Amino acid sequence: MSASVPSSPLPVSVLDLAPVIPVVVVHDVADAVPLARALVAGGLPAIEVTLRTPVGLDAVRAIAAQVPDAVVGVGTVITPAQVRESVAAGARFLVSPGWTDVLLEAMRESGVPFLPGVSTTSEVVALLERGVREMKFFPAEAAGGTAYLRSLAGPLPQARFCPTGGVGPGNAPEYLALPNVGCVGGTWMLPQDAIEARDWERVEALARAAAGLRDGSGAQV
């Protein structure tokens, strides 16, 4: 791994790092470090940088090297090659929108925690068969939202989820109250106008509100 050594070890579960994992789409690599610093300062150390733009991996490298308190991960991972490239760039966890056996094996061999994406009961059962208990539930709202996850908690209590997709400050507390939800993923603390204006103080304030959603201390900003 080419990144600098993190300041602290990653806990056993990515889901326990913070109540919210920001899902970050970086268009300008120069924004990566100040953005990550703002999120960490607001109490959201786990940062999922997606591979939706050409500079995604460069952003991961910059954050891993310059923001030691961040736990930077890579999202939208869909191929074994992306798994290898992400870990080489400094990713400390991986997130996929879905999974196949080939992708799952690559993520398992990567040596870092991973959250494969699911949206059906059969996918959850298939992952449990393969020894995977922590998953991304995506697209959360479109796939059934809190009602669906609540229904899974009875027959499949061993599965834990990070719901992402349509989750915001209005419905995040309802997700976080479920026994099988460890955290949620979202983008609301990263409004486009704040990023374009490089208003990192606003990002930090939104991150702080998001960090308090589980205990009720979060507030709209």
Side-chain angles (χ1 to χ4, degrees), residues 6 32 41 52 56 74 76 80 93-94 103 124 132 158 207 218:
R52 299 178 193 176
V74 174
T76 327
F93 65 93
L94 304 169
L103 179 60
V124 175
V132 178
Q158 62 271 54

Side-chain angles (χ1 to χ4, degrees), residues 51-191:
L51 296 182
R52 299 178 193 176
T53 67
V55 301
L57 288 177
D58 289 333
V60 172
R61 292 186 188 95
I63 294 170
Q66 300 180 54
V67 192
D69 290 333
V71 180
V72 63
V74 174
T76 327
V77 176
I78 58 173
T79 69
Q82 289 176 333
V83 169
R84 294 188 292 269
E85 292 165 353
S86 298
V87 174
R92 297 177 65 192
F93 65 93
L94 304 169
V95 183
S96 67
W99 66 277
T100 65
D101 279 318
V102 171
L103 179 60
L104 188 67
E105 184 61 24
M107 291 193 293
R108 197 190 299 274
E109 292 178 351
S110 71
V112 301
F114 55 91
L115 297 173
V118 297
S119 60
T120 69
T121 305
S122 294
E123 290 173 320
V124 175
V125 172
L127 284 177
L128 291 174
E129 282 185 351
R130 290 157 174 79
V132 178
R133 296 189 174 189
E134 297 189 343
M135 313 162 195
K136 172 180 178 174
F137 182 56
F138 175 84
E141 283 291 283
T146 55
Y148 194 96
L149 287 175
R150 189 178 295 109
S151 298
L152 292 182
L156 302 171
Q158 62 271 54
R160 296 180 73 213
F161 301 95
C162 174
T164 306
V167 180
N171 60 4
E174 185 178 356
Y175 278 100
L176 292 169
L178 297 175
N180 54 353
V181 169
C183 65
V184 300
T187 61
W188 72 87
M189 72 297 299
L190 300 163

Side-chain angles (χ1 to χ4, degrees), residues 190-212:
L190 300 163
Q192 189 59 38
D193 58 343
I195 303 301
E196 291 175 355
R198 292 178 167 81
D199 187 352
W200 309 126
E201 289 185 2
R202 183 180 172 200
V203 170
E204 180 180 340
L206 288 167
R208 184 170 293 106

